[in-house]
């Protein structure tokens, strides 16, 4: 097994105390310090062929079989096969944060609507794992952990050194401060929204005044009243805001969370430009010819390949465009869906029946 390149293998290695050996480097080649130097530096595809060729003469190769129902992850941009890598990451311990956020919902300090989401919330919070907040991207917010500047980082490093080494650091020699290239998970940045949007303090560098939360049985004030959002991001966003806000400000970010169903296409697929299955509510209300729908796709930011695929799918799904149904038919259709399911698979036939 390869614990450094597969999540399931890594979990197996943790259970059985197996060594975690890195096989591939970040550039997709076999690492140089591998026990078998004849494969070092080879590309992953070439190395796999050579390893099989080396095993066959020894009788250790028992053959191969096609994997059943396996999913090979590919990059959405390049189409290349993704190779999992074990790399250092920044994590947030979520045990105490989740316990506190769960207590707010179970005691009614935060009300979830519909009420069935309380049990879902509790199940997720009670089984939460540590949160990986670092990403290897070229954008989003930088990770600042040790210090807010290079000079501050050197000062903190100097405080951990002996007198002679501290003098070298103070003189600007012998110490190099390098900022971590990782960036923060976008949901971490989004989770800080209540702390910034509802900070009513007047000081430039002030923070929200902490509120005592030792007794969760007492009603607590909240930074805002109602949050309305989709139930599909209950844990990606709502839970993170609840955890971070109650930890730093010691106060709930909101008193009520209204969760609406997610609107999907008639086949239950998430709407996306690449699939060409997006339905603009205004097009249902006012109607839209196929040419107008095609022009909307062309005015977007799709690549030429994605545009061709989306246009082809659009013509297949809606060959005659959208009939004009009006606002009332759309409202009535959505109301009927919410009585039946937590997910709205919007079909134009349903809107037509309500017209």
């Amino acid at each position: 097994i390869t614990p450094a390149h597969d999540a399931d293998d890594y979990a197996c290695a943790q259970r059985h105390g197996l060594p975690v050996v890195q096989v591939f480097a970040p550039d997709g080649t076999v690492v140089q310090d591998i026990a078998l130097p004849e494969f070092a530096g080879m590309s992953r595809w070439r190395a796999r062929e050579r390893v099989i060729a080396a095993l066959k003469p020894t009788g250790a190769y028992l053959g191969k079989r096609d994997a059943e129902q396996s999913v090979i992850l590919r990059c959405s941009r390049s189409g290349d096969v993704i190779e999992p890598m074990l790399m250092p990451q920044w994590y947030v311990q979520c045990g105490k944060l989740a316990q506190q956020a769960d207590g707010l919902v179970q005691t009614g300090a935060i009300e979830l609507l519909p009420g069935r989401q309380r049990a879902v919330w509790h199940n997720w919070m009670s089984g939460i794992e540590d949160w990986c907040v670092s990403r290897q991207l070229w954008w989003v917010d930088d990770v600042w952990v040790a210090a807010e500047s290079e000079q501050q980082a050197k000062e903190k490093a100097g405080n951990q050194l002996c007198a002679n080494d501290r003098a070298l650091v103070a003189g600007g020699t012998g110490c190099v401060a390098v900022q971590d290239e990782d960036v923060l998970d976008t949901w971490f940045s989004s989770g800080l929204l209540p702390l910034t949007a509802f900070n009513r303090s007047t000081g430039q560098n002030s923070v929200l005044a902490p509120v005592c939360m030792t007794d969760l049985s007492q009603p607590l004030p909240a930074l805002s009243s109602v949050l309305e959002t989709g139930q599909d991001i209950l844990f990606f966003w709502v839970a993170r805001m609840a955890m971070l806000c109650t930890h730093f400000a010691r106060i709930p970010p909101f008193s009520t969370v209204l969760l609406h169903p997610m609107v999907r296409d008639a086949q239950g697929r998430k709407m996306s430009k690449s699939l060409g299955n997006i339905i603009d509510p205004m097009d249902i209300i006012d109607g839209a010819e196929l040419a107008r729908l095609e022009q909307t796709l062309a005015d977007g930011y799709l690549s030429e390949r994605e545009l061709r695929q989306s246009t082809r799918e659009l013509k297949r799904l809606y060959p005659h465009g959208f009939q004009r149904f009006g606002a009332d038919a759309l409202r009535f259709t959505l109301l009927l869906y919410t009585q039946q399911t937590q997910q709205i698979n919007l079909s134009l036939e349903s809107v037509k029946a309500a017209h």
Side-chain angles (χ1 to χ4, degrees), residues 61-116:
Y61 183 69
L62 301 180
K64 68 176 182 178
R65 65 178 182 180
D66 294 333
E68 298 179 0
Q69 298 181 346
S70 63
V71 178
I72 299 178
L73 300 179
R74 291 182 177 272
C75 176
S76 60
R77 293 294 182 183
S78 66
D80 197 11
V81 174
I82 295 176
E83 200 73 53
M85 301 284 292
L86 189 64
M87 302 180 67
Q89 306 285 356
W90 294 103
Y91 280 84
V92 172
Q93 291 182 342
C94 293
K96 293 182 179 179
L97 301 180
Q99 183 179 9
Q100 193 172 59
D102 186 32
L104 292 175
V105 170
Q106 302 309 320
T107 58
I110 296 179
E111 181 183 12
L112 297 183
L113 298 175
R116 61 176 176 268

Side-chain angles (χ1 to χ4, degrees), residues 315-337:
K315 291 179 178 179
R316 185 185 70 83
L317 293 174
Y318 314 112
H320 305 295
F322 295 162
Q323 176 185 340
R324 179 177 180 176
F325 293 111
D328 290 341
L330 178 58
R331 290 194 189 101
F332 188 71
T333 303
L334 294 177
L335 287 174
L336 290 177
Y337 273 116

Side-chain angles (χ1 to χ4, degrees), residues 76-291:
S76 60
R77 293 294 182 183
S78 66
D80 197 11
V81 174
I82 295 176
E83 200 73 53
M85 301 284 292
L86 189 64
M87 302 180 67
Q89 306 285 356
W90 294 103
Y91 280 84
V92 172
Q93 291 182 342
C94 293
K96 293 182 179 179
L97 301 180
Q99 183 179 9
Q100 193 172 59
D102 186 32
L104 292 175
V105 170
Q106 302 309 320
T107 58
I110 296 179
E111 181 183 12
L112 297 183
L113 298 175
R116 61 176 176 268
Q117 294 292 344
R118 286 184 57 182
V120 179
W121 178 279
H122 176 70
N123 290 337
W124 191 80
M125 288 295 186
S126 59
I128 197 170
E129 298 181 356
D130 290 342
W131 177 15
C132 178
V133 296
S134 56
R135 297 290 184 271
Q136 292 73 49
L137 303 172
W138 290 349
W139 52 87
V140 200
D141 298 327
D142 294 330
V143 174
W144 290 95
V145 178
E148 296 181 357
S149 65
E150 180 178 354
Q151 182 59 33
Q152 189 182 74
K154 290 184 177 181
E155 292 175 358
K156 286 190 174 183
N159 293 333
Q160 305 296 322
L161 303 175
C162 63
N164 292 335
D165 292 337
R166 193 178 302 121
L168 293 175
V169 173
T173 60
C175 179
V176 178
V178 179
Q179 182 180 349
D180 196 317
E181 294 183 353
D182 285 0
V183 296
L184 286 170
D185 175 16
T186 54
W187 291 114
F188 182 88
S189 301
S190 301
L192 298 174
L193 176 64
L195 296 171
T196 54
F198 300 108
N199 188 348
R200 303 183 183 90
S201 303
T202 57
Q204 182 177 359
N205 298 318
S206 60
V207 296
L208 287 164
V211 176
C212 180
M213 288 181 54
T214 56
D215 186 5
L216 292 177
S217 63
Q218 299 298 321
L220 292 170
L223 292 178
S224 61
S225 55
V226 179
L227 170 70
E228 184 272 336
T229 187
Q231 63 183 16
D232 57 309
I233 56 174
L234 175 62
F235 304 115
F236 287 116
W237 189 38
V238 181
R240 268 68 182 269
M241 285 192 288
M243 290 192 296
L244 294 176
C245 188
T246 52
H247 175 74
F248 289 111
R250 312 296 293 173
I251 187 173
F254 26 71
S255 58
T256 303
V257 180
L258 177 60
L259 300 165
H260 61 69
M262 187 173 184
V263 180
R264 298 176 178 266
D265 69 4
Q267 287 76 42
R269 299 177 301 176
K270 187 175 182 179
M271 293 187 185
S272 68
K273 292 181 179 179
S274 59
L275 291 177
N277 62 346
I278 290 181
I279 300 178
D280 188 332
M282 297 306 300
D283 291 336
I284 296 180
I285 295 173
D286 299 330
E289 297 179 352
L290 179 60

Side-chain angles (χ1 to χ4, degrees), residues 296-311:
T296 301
L297 285 177
D299 292 340
Y301 298 96
L302 299 177
S303 65
E304 292 185 5
R305 180 180 62 83
E306 291 174 326
L307 180 59
R308 289 195 299 269
Q309 176 183 348
S310 301
T311 302

